[in-house]
Amino acid sequence: MASTSGNRATDIPTKIKNAVNTLSDDNQPILADIRKSIYAMQDVAVELEKLNRTQQLVLIMTLSSVSILRVKDQLDVQVKELDDAVLQLLYANEECKSFSSVVQLVGEKYQPGPQLTNFKKMLDDEKSKFKVQSAADLQKDPLLRRFREAVWNVHHAGQPMPGEEQDEIVITTTQFGLLNTVCPITGKAVTDLSEPVRSMDCKHVYEKEAIMLYIRQVTKSNNCPVAGCPKALRAARVVCDTMLPVEIEEMRSQNKQTDAPGGFEDFTNFSDSDSS
């Protein structure tokens, strides 16, 4: 009986860890949906800015300046409302990430003792160590930065936003959560991988077929093939997690925007042809 009781006591921390890992994993689709929503709002905001510009050009020839300003103000308000909604989603995103981290820490630290464990106190203690980003911090979030840059580029492509230098733009618009942009085995860009997967331990991204072959063939050590990465790879821990397709699509979208001349539609020709 003593042996059975000992085994049960030993199993409890493992079960707790498995439970909190499952709970954290269940949180990932929420984070993915938040990011997808932010990018959907970005697309809408960009279209509103384009509509703003188009309608201004049409109204110049048909209506008074008062009507032009009225239409512009209405569209500006709609874009501002989307900007505010993005901030709210970013705050929710921080809350979700904080919750996942807190739950995982409780699972890692839990050890059975002679007294009943006060899990609420453990959660509260760990939560107090995490500070969700303030509204001021969220203003610097890369997702919000990209949203505002996309809107800004409709009329000011290639120009830094007010108060920012060109170097800052380069730093804040790269990678979006992806640790590497090229598969270390195939040399393909992450955006071109047919079946991308990511190590849950080192977070590097690979082509699935190539990395699985690499894991099977390497005998001395299964270290990640990225130069300088010391993490060992296990096939079961190399997966396409919920966030990976979202982050790859973000990078793909950013690359298209960067490659496009001027980033957005140019209305100059429209203006010239209609006024002649």
Side-chain angles (χ1 to χ4, degrees), residues 97-110 118-132:
K97 288 195 296 184
S98 175
F99 173 78
S100 292
S101 299
V102 167
V103 168
Q104 285 184 320
L105 283 173
V106 169
E108 291 170 3
K109 292 184 176 182
Y110 168 77
N118 187 338
F119 284 104
K120 183 179 185 306
K121 184 177 184 305
M122 287 185 71
L123 285 167
D124 289 342
D125 288 345
E126 293 302 329
K127 187 175 181 181
S128 66
K129 300 174 185 177
F130 278 83
K131 288 186 178 180
V132 176

Side-chain angles (χ1 to χ4, degrees), residues 3-143:
S3 176
T4 303
S5 299
N7 289 338
R8 286 178 179 174
T10 304
D11 287 345
I12 290 175
T14 301
K15 290 180 178 179
I16 293 290
K17 286 183 180 179
N18 291 338
V20 298
N21 285 336
T22 299
L23 189 59
S24 179
D25 289 342
D26 289 345
N27 212 23
Q28 294 306 304
I30 299 174
L31 295 172
D33 286 343
I34 287 174
R35 292 176 76 137
K36 289 177 183 177
S37 298
I38 289 174
Y39 279 93
M41 289 179 178
Q42 176 182 306
D43 291 340
V44 173
V46 168
E47 290 305 315
L48 285 172
E49 279 296 302
K50 289 181 178 180
L51 180 62
N52 191 344
R53 174 60 174 160
T54 304
Q55 288 195 358
Q56 284 184 57
L57 293 171
V58 172
L59 291 173
I60 285 172
M61 299 175 291
T62 59
L63 297 174
S64 67
S65 59
V66 174
S67 299
I68 295 171
L69 290 174
R70 186 181 299 119
V71 171
K72 181 180 184 302
D73 288 344
Q74 290 173 349
L75 292 171
D76 286 345
V77 167
Q78 291 174 327
V79 172
K80 179 62 171 61
E81 289 174 347
L82 286 170
D83 189 289
D84 293 340
V86 169
L87 270 173
Q88 292 176 19
L89 283 175
L90 287 174
Y91 185 81
N93 186 64
E94 286 299 310
E95 288 277 6
C96 286
K97 288 195 296 184
S98 175
F99 173 78
S100 292
S101 299
V102 167
V103 168
Q104 285 184 320
L105 283 173
V106 169
E108 291 170 3
K109 292 184 176 182
Y110 168 77
Q111 290 296 331
Q115 303 295 327
L116 289 175
T117 301
N118 187 338
F119 284 104
K120 183 179 185 306
K121 184 177 184 305
M122 287 185 71
L123 285 167
D124 289 342
D125 288 345
E126 293 302 329
K127 187 175 181 181
S128 66
K129 300 174 185 177
F130 278 83
K131 288 186 178 180
V132 176
Q133 290 191 73
S134 66
D137 292 331
L138 289 176
Q139 292 287 340
K140 303 174 185 177
D141 190 285
L143 290 174

